[in-house]
């Protein structure tokens, strides 16, 4: 088995383990019951903006596979950072109105899921910076860009699940 196949198997094992972790987090969230907090009104415009940002990042990750142009990496970085800034602004707002993770099981599960997803966006930023560095030294590895694109698709699919399970489900 050559090196590329081992790397791909390792990547897919990582993706499967992440799917299992997110599944457990979703089940834990759905099992936490707090009627008052489930009826919180979220800002759906901000959620739409965050969704669009993540979908653009996935789209840009596909554009990189065929073109190897750095502008797609830079745009991906900008959109990823914007997403994280909006996300942390939301955390700050919830914390200022005393809805923090210490209040109850529902909010604790909410924060864990959202932070875990934000952590994956942060990982994608580091991967993108690494790919930019590889392009800077003229090493264009198509397999790395494909893995980057698959990872971004995973991130936005998890985000869509978050939208359905946390924000839209009443």
């Amino acid at each position: 088995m050559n090196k590329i196949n081992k790397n791909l198997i390792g990547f897919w094992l990582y993706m499967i383990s992440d799917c299992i972790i997110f599944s457990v987090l979703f089940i834990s969230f759905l099992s936490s019951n707090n009627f008052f907090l489930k009826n919180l009104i979220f800002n759906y415009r901000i959620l739409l903006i965050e969704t669009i940002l993540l979908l653009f990042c996935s789209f840009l990750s596909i554009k990189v596979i065929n073109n190897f142009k750095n502008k797609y990496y830079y745009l991906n970085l900008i959109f990823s950072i914007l997403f994280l800034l909006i996300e942390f602004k939301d955390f700050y707002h919830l914390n200022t109105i005393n809805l923090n993770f210490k209040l109850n099981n529902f909010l604790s599960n909410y924060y864990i899921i959202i932070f875990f997803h934000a952590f994956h966006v942060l990982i994608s930023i580091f991967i993108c910076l690494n790919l930019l560095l590889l392009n800077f030294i003229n090493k264009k590895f198509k397999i790395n860009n494909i893995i980057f694109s698959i990872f971004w698709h995973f991130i936005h699919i998890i985000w869509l699940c978050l939208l359905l399970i946390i924000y839209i489900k009443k």
Side-chain angles (χ1 to χ4, degrees), residues 72-90:
Y72 299 125
Y73 290 119
Y74 291 125
L75 287 171
N76 196 310
L77 285 171
I78 291 169
F79 292 149
S80 303
I81 292 169
L82 278 173
F83 173 84
L84 287 178
L85 289 173
I86 293 170
E87 201 63 23
F88 287 115
K89 180 188 169 289
D90 189 35

Side-chain angles (χ1 to χ4, degrees), residues 3-161:
K3 185 179 177 185
I4 292 176
N5 289 341
K6 288 180 184 178
N7 289 344
L8 284 175
I9 289 172
F11 172 73
W12 282 112
L13 287 174
Y14 165 75
M15 293 300 288
I16 291 169
S17 68
D18 256 5
C19 287
I20 292 169
I21 292 170
F22 271 109
S23 298
V24 169
L25 291 174
F26 287 144
I27 290 169
S28 176
F29 178 82
L30 289 171
S31 67
S32 61
N33 191 7
N34 192 327
F35 179 75
F36 171 72
L37 293 174
K38 280 187 181 177
N39 292 323
L40 282 174
I41 297 173
F42 295 102
N43 188 338
Y44 290 106
R45 284 187 210 124
I46 298 228
L47 291 172
L48 178 65
I49 290 168
E50 288 177 321
T51 304
I52 289 169
L53 287 172
L54 289 181
L55 290 174
F56 272 141
C57 287
S58 289
F59 173 73
L60 292 169
S61 70
I62 293 172
K63 295 290 284 181
V64 165
I65 293 173
N66 297 324
N67 297 342
F68 291 114
K69 292 188 179 176
N70 287 345
K71 69 179 180 181
Y72 299 125
Y73 290 119
Y74 291 125
L75 287 171
N76 196 310
L77 285 171
I78 291 169
F79 292 149
S80 303
I81 292 169
L82 278 173
F83 173 84
L84 287 178
L85 289 173
I86 293 170
E87 201 63 23
F88 287 115
K89 180 188 169 289
D90 189 35
F91 290 145
Y92 179 76
H93 171 72
L94 287 175
N95 203 25
T96 57
I97 59 174
N98 291 328
L99 292 177
N100 57 26
F101 66 94
K102 298 175 189 175
L103 190 61
N104 62 22
N105 191 25
F106 179 82
L107 283 173
S108 177
N109 286 321
Y110 170 78
Y111 276 102
I112 288 172
I113 292 173
I114 299 298
F115 271 127
F116 197 56
H117 181 266
F119 178 69
H120 280 75
V121 175
L122 185 65
I123 289 172
S124 74
I125 289 172
F126 289 125
I127 294 170
C128 190
L129 289 171
N130 185 29
L131 291 173
L132 265 171
L133 179 66
L134 288 175
N135 276 355
F136 181 71
I137 58 176
N138 292 326
K139 304 243 185 204
K140 295 179 171 91
F141 298 107
K142 190 167 188 168
I143 192 71
N144 291 347
N145 290 320
I146 291 171
I147 289 173
F148 179 62
S149 182
I150 292 169
F151 187 71
W152 257 113
H153 283 64
F154 172 74
I155 290 172
H156 89 251
I157 289 169
I158 292 296
W159 178 254
L160 294 175
C161 292

